Amino acid sequence: MEEPVVESVRYHAPCKDCGARLECWGVHGLIGGSLRWDVESVCSGCGQTTADCGQELPTWLRERLLADHGSGTLQVTDPSVERVTAMRVLRAALGVGLTEAKTVVGRVLAGAYMGTLPEMEYLARKLCGAGVDAVAARP
Ligand SMILES: [Zn+2]
């Protein structure tokens, strides 16, 4: 079983129902081989609780996580990497087209590809699974 990589963030927002302060807790992680996120909140005024979750990380939550934890980078440690293999893996993992995958590989090889640590870990594991030595790291 692979180690989960999880990041979480605590924040506040106004309650939609009563305007009091919502205590919110957002979690994003690589769990059981796939990326997922969830958010829970409890209102300090009316006691309303909400929960939401999914796989595609919402932009606002991603930005909060990046602001709190900083970004991770994806590093390919083998300089003689097969670009074609890396491109195929990243294309499938990210669901992007050929042109974009080519750009991503260029940025990965330059050490300039960044995202949340769980996202980078997800891609690193996919690359390792295809025989490309890659690691997710904090810059
Ligand atoms: Zn409320």
Side-chain angles (χ1 to χ4, degrees), residues 25-26 31 43 57 60 62-64 73 85 95-96 101 108 123 126 137:
W25 182 247
I31 301 154
C43 178
L57 187 63
W60 63 268
R62 192 167 190 270
E63 281 168 2
R64 274 190 200 281
T73 57
T85 309
V96 297
V108 169
L123 297 177
K126 291 276 182 202

Side-chain angles (χ1 to χ4, degrees), residues 47-131:
Q48 187 202 199
T49 60
T50 58
D52 202 3
C53 66
Q55 294 195 308
E56 190 91 6
L57 187 63
T59 308
W60 63 268
L61 181 55
R62 192 167 190 270
E63 281 168 2
R64 274 190 200 281
L65 286 160
L66 289 173
D68 249 46
H69 296 275
S71 45
T73 57
L74 178 61
Q75 293 167 354
V76 170
T77 48
D78 176 5
S80 64
V81 60
E82 288 276 347
R83 268 175 179 263
V84 179
T85 309
M87 227 163 81
R88 180 169 50 77
V89 174
L90 292 170
R91 201 181 158 192
L94 296 167
V96 297
L98 204 59
T99 315
E100 201 178 335
K102 203 178 262 183
T103 310
V104 169
V105 169
R107 285 168 64 197
V108 169
L109 293 178
Y113 190 71
M114 294 189 185
T116 68
L117 194 64
E119 285 172 345
M120 297 302 101
E121 184 67 32
Y122 174 73
L123 297 177
R125 288 182 191 178
K126 291 276 182 202
L127 286 166
C128 289

Side-chain angles (χ1 to χ4, degrees), residues 15-22 43-48:
C15 176
K16 280 193 192 91
D17 290 343
C18 71
R21 201 160 86 144
L22 278 179
C43 178
S44 57
C46 66
Q48 187 202 199

